[in-house]
Amino acid sequence: MQIMIKRALARQLSNRLKQFPAVALLGPRQSGKTTLAKTFSRHYFDLEQPEDQLRLDVHWDSLIRPKRLVILDEAQMMPAVFPRIRGAIDRKRKQNGRFLLLGSVAPGLMKNVSESLAGRLAVCELSPLLLTELGGTYDEGQVWLRGGFPDGGILKKKSFPIWEKDYLTLLAQRDLPAWGLPAKPQTTLRFFKMLAACHGQIWNASKIGASLGLSYHTVNHYLDYLEDTYLILSLAPYHANIRKRIVKSPKIFWRDSGLLHALLDVSSMEALLSQPWVGASWEGWCINQILATLKTAGKDCDAYFFRTNDGHEIDLVLESSKGLWAFEFKLTSAPGAEDMKRLNAAADMIKAGKRFLITRSSGLETGSGFVSTNIHRCLKIIL
């Protein structure tokens, strides 16, 4: 029996459909976009399928006349539909909730959206399943190990990591080339592996390019594609006005921990905890949980990391209307006073108003401007 999990984005998506004639629901492939969209309407068309393109074309006038929501999946596969959407919207400009476009952020989709539907469309982003959506019935460690893709092991344990490896292979062989990535599948798969090896590290395009026999310009271009398809998070450095030299290159993380672990051939918690890079994996997972949870709740913020050349560091810096927040992630169940002391020393440099030390501890410690707790409680506090 298929397990249905209520998606946190449903509320934001519903609100956007009430406010705009069209909404684009974007996110990585297999993150649950189609399942969520179908809870809003039964008028669904998969435009990767020629028969659905024909069905949409033949029934267009009858579809757009009543007050109904039309769902167009992979809309970039039918470029001619965008002017028709714009025309239908402009004829009834005050009628909202008419079109829901689904896509995996293929460049073709965003190009047509920006050219045809500017001012007529809102954008919502759906991540793979979040810890806050899964609730207390799911073990935190297993969510970290397997990632958040619904079919990738969270709902069916035996799928991990076979599903993830097949997913990445299909992206390299079919999707990314179709979206315009100018790389052979073998090169893309090697690039995936190298990005996994430098997860949580400062990005060095020249070093990666030399390993692939490519220029750093080409490697940066490839990285942009993977960011646009929600595979990679590039965390920019926070520039503070301090009297120290600051690291100026971004840090790179895989957005989904299950994909990272599959690439590094880790399939159990025992194997994961024995890896020298386990701390970087946990840091990246926590960062992505925080950023995706805030995004899903419609809370805007800018995300950075902070590091000086003499060793002061903050894993995550959030800048929003609430001020500047500093986060340190430490894979321990028994944090010590020195951990908070190091965080405070770096946070003082950038004048962060709140400081969060996130560990595997079950406890909660609070004080003037600081919180020491686990990721579950952190996600509740920041909302």
Side-chain angles (χ1 to χ4, degrees):
M1 184 177 69
Q2 181 67 39
I3 301 173
M4 295 298 293
I5 295 176
K6 185 177 180 181
R7 301 307 304 263
L9 189 69
R11 176 181 292 183
Q12 184 186 140
L13 181 56
S14 178
N15 289 336
R16 295 296 182 270
L17 286 168
K18 293 174 183 176
Q19 297 165 344
F20 290 85
V23 175
L25 177 58
L26 306 178
R29 276 199 182 278
Q30 303 298 320
S31 56
K33 297 187 297 296
T34 300
T35 301
L36 175 58
K38 285 182 175 180
T39 64
F40 286 85
S41 173
R42 61 184 178 86
H43 302 287
Y44 171 83
F45 298 83
D46 180 358
L47 299 186
E48 283 192 316
Q49 307 302 320
E51 57 270 27
D52 271 22
Q53 290 194 20
L54 177 61
R55 191 163 59 92
L56 178 67
D57 184 40
V58 169
H59 296 297
W60 180 263
D61 288 339
S62 60
L63 280 168
I64 66 171
R65 195 175 299 119
K67 289 185 178 181
R68 61 162 60 115
L69 175 64
V70 178
I71 302 169
L72 305 178
D73 203 345
E74 300 299 341
Q76 76 279 355
M77 301 302 295
M78 190 178 175
V81 78
F82 289 93
R84 298 181 77 174
I85 293 172
R86 181 181 61 194
I89 290 173
D90 288 349
R91 281 191 292 274
K92 295 182 179 180
R93 195 64 179 86
K94 294 183 179 180
Q95 184 176 324
N96 293 331
R98 301 185 64 190
F99 297 96
L100 179 55
L101 312 180
L102 313 186
S104 305
V105 197
L109 174 63
M110 297 313 296
K111 181 175 183 292
N112 283 305
V113 163
S114 62
E115 289 179 354
S116 301
L117 302 177
R120 304 167 179 86
L121 175 137
V123 174
C124 293
E125 296 179 4
L126 182 70
S127 73
L129 289 165
L130 297 169
L131 196 60
T132 51
E133 293 174 315
L134 292 168
T137 58
Y138 290 82
D139 177 73
E140 175 189 310
Q142 294 303 314
V143 179
W144 167 31
L145 171 67
R146 298 189 181 107
F149 284 99
D151 294 330
I154 288 298
L155 306 184
K156 298 178 181 179
K157 295 181 180 180
K158 292 182 179 179
S159 299
F160 177 81
I162 297 170
W163 185 92
E164 281 75 8
K165 292 182 178 181
D166 290 344
Y167 178 88
L168 291 166
T169 298
L170 189 61
L171 280 174
Q173 292 179 347
R174 188 194 73 173
D175 294 328
L176 288 167
W179 296 337
L181 179 67
K184 294 180 180 179
Q186 298 90 335
T187 301
T188 303
L189 289 170
R190 285 181 61 203
F191 190 40
F192 286 167
K193 286 275 190 181
M194 291 179 181
L195 287 172
C198 66
H199 174 89
Q201 297 180 20
I202 303 298
W203 175 239
N204 188 331
S206 297
K207 182 179 179 180
I208 298 294
S211 299
L212 289 171
L214 301 170
S215 71
Y216 74 90
H217 291 292
T218 300
V219 168
N220 280 331
H221 181 56
Y222 289 1
L223 185 69
D224 288 342
Y225 263 86
L226 302 192
E227 288 185 70
D228 287 343
T229 50
Y230 292 98
L231 289 175
I232 297 295
L233 169 67
S234 178
L235 201 60
Y238 183 78
H239 296 290
N241 186 20
I242 62 174
R243 294 180 180 179
K244 288 183 180 289
R245 293 183 62 190
I246 297 172
V247 172
K248 296 182 180 180
S249 297
K251 283 175 74 172
I252 302 300
F253 297 92
W254 278 86
R255 283 182 177 263
D256 184 75
S257 56
L259 296 180
L260 169 70
H261 297 154
L263 283 165
L264 294 173
D265 295 318
V266 169
S267 58
S268 69
M269 277 303 295
E270 292 76 12
L272 176 58
L273 293 174
S274 69
Q275 301 300 321
W277 43 260
V278 63
S281 169
W282 194 73
E283 174 189 333
W285 180 70
C286 288
I287 288 172
N288 279 295
Q289 288 292 321
I290 289 171
L291 297 184
T293 297
L294 289 171
K295 187 82 172 180
T296 298
K299 297 183 181 296
D300 294 327
C301 64
D302 295 317
Y304 310 91
F305 78 98
F306 174 76
R307 182 186 292 180
T308 65
N309 282 1
D310 61 356
H312 290 89
E313 183 173 10
I314 302 172
D315 293 332
L316 176 65
V317 178
L318 292 184
E319 189 173 33
S320 71
S321 58
K322 293 184 178 180
L324 203 62
W325 293 359
F327 294 78
E328 176 73 16
F329 306 99
K330 192 170 179 62
L331 186 57
T332 179
S333 59
E338 282 299 313
D339 297 317
M340 184 57 75
K341 184 178 179 180
R342 282 192 296 270
L343 172 58
N344 280 328
D348 286 344
M349 291 181 182
I350 64 171
K351 298 179 173 60
K354 282 190 177 181
R355 295 95 189 270
F356 294 82
L357 177 62
I358 310 303
T359 67
R360 294 293 298 270
S361 170
S362 60
L364 170 65
E365 184 180 353
T366 61
S368 179
F370 83 87
V371 176
S372 177
T373 189
N374 55 48
I375 186 64
H376 277 280
R377 198 172 280 114
C378 169
L379 294 175
K380 294 178 181 179
I381 292 171
I382 63 176
L383 288 176

